[in-house]
């Protein structure tokens, strides 16, 4: 039966009906509501798909990054507060652009092409062997499809967002090859015909994982180019999955594992493009049958398991929620965020992922690079969906700290795991070594995709025809306003190392009127905004948006000041860490590399003269009082995250009996922290006396976390005052 829907201030929303899970979103004061035609007629008209395609083909072209008109949104119950600008509208600059170019030129993406693919996406023997054959003569498994899909996605983002023409050409060649060799059934995976869709096979979840990631990568390409061949190929592939596992299929076993939720995300995106309801129904079912969804819906709710799988699932839930407005999904997403932040978020901005599993917090609790990627992406999506600035605050902490904390300082390899305190980066020490670019390829392929995602979301459109500056960084944004006028926003800044951001508006011709929103980070207590030297009248506070409604003129200058106070945080009261603005600071430990292979893999251990065993001297009432920020000269040719332009100086003393014999057999990244008097034992096991000494006060220098490879960021501490003999009597477990 056709279902009735309502128009709520231009947003189509389903009436809640028996037998489905689609519900109206909450009403807002002032909403104008009218009853609409049947749901089927409203969102499944064939002409809608044609209109989308025509507008996409006319508007999205690699040679013209600013279409004359943006494509209209597909059917959605929740349109979201902010919307993306057309592909290529935002061009990053400064260190962000340099890092993306480094990743493209010397990182995993280039290596996978050059070494595995011999200069061709499908390899020179593609016509002689099936698509699922292995790379480098390794045994082929379904997980290989994940790397194929992520490689494609990297290529597309480097081509259209990082604006590298060679990658646009490569992306087009890649897609042509894929489409020329599609399976007759429409299958878009990497498993031989006689082994496909075996849910209970031990690696069956990888099949659908790679299947969904292929769909999402190709849909990303469609969004950049409007190539209808890609959309039709994705529809055929999605139809096959829906026929196997969708609500109308005969298969009783439901897909399980967070891996299947990537298929849900792709199906929801396809629904928004086409209006074909079977995609939405299947996506909704896959999510609701998933174990993690049931965990967060339970009473009491719980969050445990694969730390990257949760944001992967939440990203899919966001896509489905956009289409349904289901209130239980909204509650589930917010609750998952709250529990993750409360129980697992590390000071470097990403949740823990010890052995890829949530593991609380602590100095030696690892985080997987995939965690960083998926959480940054989901927090960015939630910023656009809800308009709440806090999600962007979380995302930027992760990509300013945890991302470069995983990255080798020459930019060539990224680590699988890393820890806040890391005196050994080795296979034995929790797999914290820097593997070759053809190992642990989930992380090697996810790391380079983070900054392109951030770049294309730096500035978003608002629902009332304005623009929202979400992320700060040197960049140029070109946008077309609802009246057809084109404007540019030029950001110039050394943020997050400096407090100031300058935005110059280029409007040309007559003045133009539109609202401009600027994110005021939650950590900033007293943000300031001036337009042409005059402070705006609106009172400002951190964790909100500064909204400026005015007529803008050519050359208008916006100056944003985000004072960065030094903050000291505590873990179990006995360990301290230091932050300034969105950055975590750490002691940089000099290291020596031990090469592992010709692909760039290495382990790292402290240099012979490295000193790291410091405790901080702090005033417990005002712990940040005497910490001083200093600036440092940086050579112009420095790589991103190679040498810090800022540092913090503070009082500390060495703990001589706090030792750690580091070698290739070390089983953890660093030593347990000693618990120093006068603190209590915190209920920890007493493992003996560490010795007595009279501390000698020193000044140590901390740098932003991302500039370190071996590091200490959690420190034991003592109250600052008259120096007295100090006994370090008990190690603090992680």
């Amino acid at each position: 039966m056709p279902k009735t829907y309502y128009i709520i201030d231009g947003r189509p929303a389903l009436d809640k009906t028996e037998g489905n899970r689609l519900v109206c979103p909450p009403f807002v004061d002032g909403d104008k509501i009218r009853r609409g035609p049947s749901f089927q007629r409203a969102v499944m008209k064939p002409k809608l798909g044609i209109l989308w395609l025509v507008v996409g083909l006319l508007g999205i072209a690699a040679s013209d990054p600013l279409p004359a008109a943006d494509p209209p949104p597909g059917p959605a119950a929740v349109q979201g507060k902010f919307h993306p600008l057309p592909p290529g509208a935002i061009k990053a600059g400064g260190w962000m652009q340099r890092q993306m170019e480094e990743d493209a030129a010397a990182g995993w993406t280039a290596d996978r092409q050059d070494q595995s693919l011999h200069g061709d996406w499908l390899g020179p023997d593609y016509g002689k062997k099936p698509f699922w054959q292995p790379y480098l003569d390794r045994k082929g498994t379904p997980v290989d499809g994940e790397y194929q899909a992520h490689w494609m996605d990297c290529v597309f983002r480097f081509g259209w967002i990082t604006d590298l023409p060679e990658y646009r050409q490569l992306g087009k060649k890649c897609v042509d090859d894929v489409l020329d060799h599609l399976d007759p059934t429409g299958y878009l995976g990497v498993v031989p015909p006689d082994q496909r869709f075996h849910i209970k096979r031990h690696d069956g979840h990888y099949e659908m994982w790679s299947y969904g990631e292929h769909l999402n990568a190709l849909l990303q390409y469609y969004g950049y180019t409007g190539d209808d061949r890609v959309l039709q190929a994705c529809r055929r592939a999605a139809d096959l999955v829906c026929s196997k596992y969708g609500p109308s299929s005969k298969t009783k076993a439901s897909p399980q594992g967070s891996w299947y939720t990537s298929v849900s995300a792709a199906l929801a995106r396809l629904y928004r493009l086409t209006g074909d309801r079977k995609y939405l129904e299947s996506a909704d079912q896959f999510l609701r049958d998933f174990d993690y969804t049931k965990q967060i819906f339970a009473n009491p709710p719980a969050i445990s398991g694969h730390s990257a799988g949760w944001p992967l699932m939440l990203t899919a839930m966001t896509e489905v929620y956009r289409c349904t407005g289901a209130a239980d999904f909204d509650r589930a997403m917010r609750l998952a965020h709250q529990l993750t932040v409360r129980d697992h978020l590390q000071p470097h901005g990403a949740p823990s992922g010890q052995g890829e599993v949530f593991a609380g917090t602590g100095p030696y609790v690892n985080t997987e690079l995939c965690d960083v990627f998926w959480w940054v992406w989901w927090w960015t999506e939630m910023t656009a969906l809800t308009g709440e600035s806090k999600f962007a605050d979380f995302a930027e902490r992760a990509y300013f700290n945890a991302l470069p904390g995983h990255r080798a300082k020459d930019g060539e390899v990224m680590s699988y795991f890393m820890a806040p305190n890391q005196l050994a980066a080795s296979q034995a020490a929790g797999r914290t070594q820097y593997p070759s670019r053809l190992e642990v390829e989930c992380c090697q392929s996810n790391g380079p995709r983070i900054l392109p995602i951030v770049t294309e979301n730096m500035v978003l459109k608002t629902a009332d025809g304005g623009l929202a500056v979400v992320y700060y960084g040197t960049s140029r944004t070109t946008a077309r306003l609802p009246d057809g006028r084109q404007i540019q926003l030029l950001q110039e800044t050394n943020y997050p190392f400096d407090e100031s951001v300058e935005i110059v508006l280029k409007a040309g011709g007559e003045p133009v009127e539109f609202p401009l929103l600027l994110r005021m980070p939650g950590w900033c207590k007293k943000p300031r905004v001036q337009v042409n030297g005059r402070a705006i009248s609106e009172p400002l506070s951190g964790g909100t948006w500064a909204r400026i409604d005015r007529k803008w003129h050519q050359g208008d200058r916006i100056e944003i000041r985000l004072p960065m106070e030094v903050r000291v945080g505590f873990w179990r009261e006995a360990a301290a860490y230091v932050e300034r603005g969105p950055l975590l600071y750490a002691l940089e430990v000099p290291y020596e590399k031990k090469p592992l292979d010709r692909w760039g893999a290495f382990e790292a251990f402290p240099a012979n003269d490295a000193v790291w065993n410091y405790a901080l001297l702090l005033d417990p009432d005002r712990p940040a009082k005497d910490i001083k920020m200093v600036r440092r000269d940086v050579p112009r040719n420095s790589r991103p995250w190679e040498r810090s332009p800022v540092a913090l100086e503070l009082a500390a003393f060495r703990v001589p009996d706090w030792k750690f014999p580091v070698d290739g057999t070390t089983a953890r990244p660093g030593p347990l922290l000693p618990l120093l008097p006068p603190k209590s034992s915190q209920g920890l096991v007493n493992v003996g006396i560490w010795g007595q000494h009279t501390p000698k006060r020193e000044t140590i220098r901390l740098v932003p976390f991302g500039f370190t490879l071996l590091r200490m960021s959690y420190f034991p501490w003592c109250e600052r005052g008259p120096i007295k003999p100090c006994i370090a009597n008990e190690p603090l477990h992680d």
Side-chain angles (χ1 to χ4, degrees), residues 59-90:
I60 305 178
S63 60
D64 182 7
L66 187 67
D70 299 330
V78 181
Q79 296 287 358
K81 298 295 185 181
F82 304 144
H83 306 282
L85 292 167
I90 304 171

Side-chain angles (χ1 to χ4, degrees), residues 89-332:
I90 304 171
K91 306 295 186 188
W95 68 264
M96 288 182 64
Q97 181 69 13
R98 294 199 308 273
Q99 181 171 327
M100 289 188 286
E101 290 175 356
E102 268 192 5
D103 289 343
W108 173 86
T109 311
D111 239 27
R112 168 55 73 187
Q113 175 196 353
D114 294 340
Q115 306 301 333
S116 298
L117 307 174
H118 308 290
D120 195 332
W121 155 234
L122 295 176
D125 299 325
Y126 179 74
K128 305 174 186 177
K129 59 184 181 182
F131 183 53
W132 53 84
Q133 282 297 303
Y135 297 130
L136 293 179
D137 298 323
R138 295 184 308 175
K139 180 180 178 182
T141 65
V143 76
D144 285 336
E146 173 190 354
Y147 312 145
Q148 291 179 336
H150 289 178
W151 184 84
M152 286 196 296
D153 193 70
C154 277
V155 168
F156 302 154
R157 294 182 190 275
F158 285 151
W160 278 267
I161 302 305
T162 310
D163 195 27
L164 301 177
E166 66 272 25
Y167 273 96
R168 282 200 296 273
Q169 295 170 7
L170 183 60
K172 291 175 181 177
K173 175 176 174 52
C174 159
V175 169
D176 287 343
D177 285 349
V178 170
L179 296 180
D180 286 345
H181 296 88
L182 277 179
D183 189 278
T185 66
Y187 182 81
L188 196 62
V190 292
V191 174
D194 61 341
Q195 299 176 31
R196 294 173 184 169
F197 301 115
H198 289 183
I199 283 286
K200 296 183 179 180
R201 193 179 68 241
H202 76 283
D203 60 355
H205 61 290
Y206 279 119
E207 178 187 7
M208 283 296 97
W209 163 236
S210 63
Y211 202 97
E213 291 301 275
H214 273 90
L215 279 170
N216 282 303
L218 289 173
L219 287 172
Q220 198 70 27
Y221 181 85
Y222 174 72
Y224 293 155
T225 66
D227 188 336
D228 187 53
R229 301 174 304 154
V230 173
L231 180 61
Q232 298 311 316
C234 289
R235 294 198 68 175
R236 289 188 64 203
D239 290 346
L240 191 60
V241 172
C242 293
S243 69
K244 293 290 183 181
Y245 300 127
S248 60
S249 73
K250 297 180 181 180
T251 304
K252 293 185 179 180
S254 180
Q256 283 297 315
S258 55
W259 318 108
Y260 285 92
T261 59
S262 67
V263 177
S264 292
L267 293 176
R269 293 174 73 182
L270 273 170
Y271 167 73
R272 295 178 68 197
L273 290 171
T274 67
D276 191 333
R277 185 170 174 181
K278 69 173 178 287
Y279 300 143
L280 180 57
E281 291 176 338
S282 298
D284 187 75
Q285 173 185 288
F286 292 170
L287 274 175
R288 291 181 181 276
D289 287 346
F290 178 41
D291 287 345
Y292 289 178
T293 310
K294 294 176 182 178
Q295 274 190 43
I296 204 66
F297 280 173
N299 188 14
I303 184 164
S304 63
H306 190 225
S307 47
W310 274 92
L312 197 164
M313 179 269 284
L314 292 170
T315 303
M317 192 174 284
T318 303
E319 292 291 349
V320 175
Y321 175 73
R322 284 191 174 106
C323 302
T324 68
D328 55 351
F329 277 0
D330 181 48
R331 289 193 300 270

